[in-house]
Amino acid sequence: IGRGAPASKITTINNFPDPEVFNHSKRLAGKKKSRERFTLIFPGTIAARYGLEVAIKALPLLKDGIPNIHLLIIGRQLEYLKSLVSLAEELDVSSFVEFKPSIPNREVPQQLTQADIGIYPALPDCHMSIATPGKLLEFAIMGLPIISSRLRIVEEMFDDSAVMFFEPGNVRQFAQC
């Protein structure tokens, strides 16, 4: 409107998970029986703005306290993936990290049923601070605990009772969560 578009020509369409696809009861029914792994999951675009290096850098701090920890990153594998693979090798945590290519949206809930925590380590910028993160809504509707960067948009959606927050880029705080 501030740029001259008439308000009558603007429609907002919220992006919410389809409850027929993302269904909490399916999570409970599909939950793994044994605790073979403690899985942190990130399904989405593998790009620097999502701060995935924070999760990888936290693994050396976590692997002794959670010996069966597993970081599962699923998504479109862009050039940034190479730097994440190198970082995991450099920190000697490659065995704790798994990268899977993108999967159809209808298959994401099955992956979430096998996870213990959904992560959103995004870094603040002009886009990430205001864009509604659909994956957090998917985690929430599936009843998956969430660890997220403290971004303005996330704080507008969730409070400290619903999400474990850490300051963006802070590896130690992420590990504490």
Side-chain angles (χ1 to χ4, degrees):
I1 294 170
R3 293 181 180 167
S8 63
K9 292 196 172 213
I10 298 173
T11 302
T12 301
I13 302 171
N14 289 318
N15 183 10
F16 291 106
D18 180 345
E20 293 298 317
V21 175
F22 292 88
N23 183 311
H24 185 257
S25 63
K26 289 180 185 175
R27 172 174 160 68
L28 297 176
K31 189 66 180 160
K32 58 188 172 192
K33 304 289 186 247
S34 67
R35 302 285 293 172
E36 294 172 18
R37 293 179 168 174
F38 185 86
T39 301
L40 308 176
I41 191 168
F42 177 90
T45 301
I46 300 173
R49 67 182 174 269
Y50 289 107
L52 295 167
E53 71 278 355
V54 171
I56 292 173
K57 288 178 181 178
L59 289 173
L61 303 173
L62 297 170
K63 66 181 183 178
D64 292 335
I66 310 171
N68 56 349
I69 194 160
H70 177 240
L71 173 59
L72 175 57
I73 299 172
I74 304 169
R76 213 167 99 225
Q77 301 186 359
L78 304 174
E79 191 64 29
Y80 175 62
L81 174 66
K82 291 177 186 174
S83 67
L84 294 177
V85 170
S86 294
L87 178 62
E89 289 170 355
E90 176 186 322
L91 297 174
D92 196 28
V93 294
S94 295
S95 62
F96 301 97
V97 184
E98 180 181 1
F99 297 98
K100 286 186 175 181
S102 290
I103 58 176
N105 195 46
R106 69 183 178 284
E107 293 178 17
V108 172
Q110 177 57 34
Q111 294 298 311
L112 297 180
T113 66
Q114 301 304 308
D116 296 284
I117 295 177
I119 64 166
Y120 187 69
L123 301 171
D125 66 18
C126 62
H127 172 74
M128 298 303 285
S129 296
I130 63 168
T132 302
K135 68 182 75 337
L136 290 185
L137 299 173
E138 293 167 0
F139 296 160
I141 199 170
M142 293 293 290
L144 192 62
I146 301 168
I147 296 174
S148 175
S149 296
R150 189 175 292 281
L151 300 177
R152 186 178 83 211
I153 188 69
V154 179
E155 288 185 297
E156 289 175 9
M157 296 166 54
F158 301 99
D159 65 22
D160 290 338
S161 69
V163 171
M164 300 272 317
F165 284 107
F166 67 97
E167 291 306 314
N170 190 317
V171 174
R172 290 209 178 276
Q173 283 184 8
F174 177 91
Q176 288 170 343
C177 289

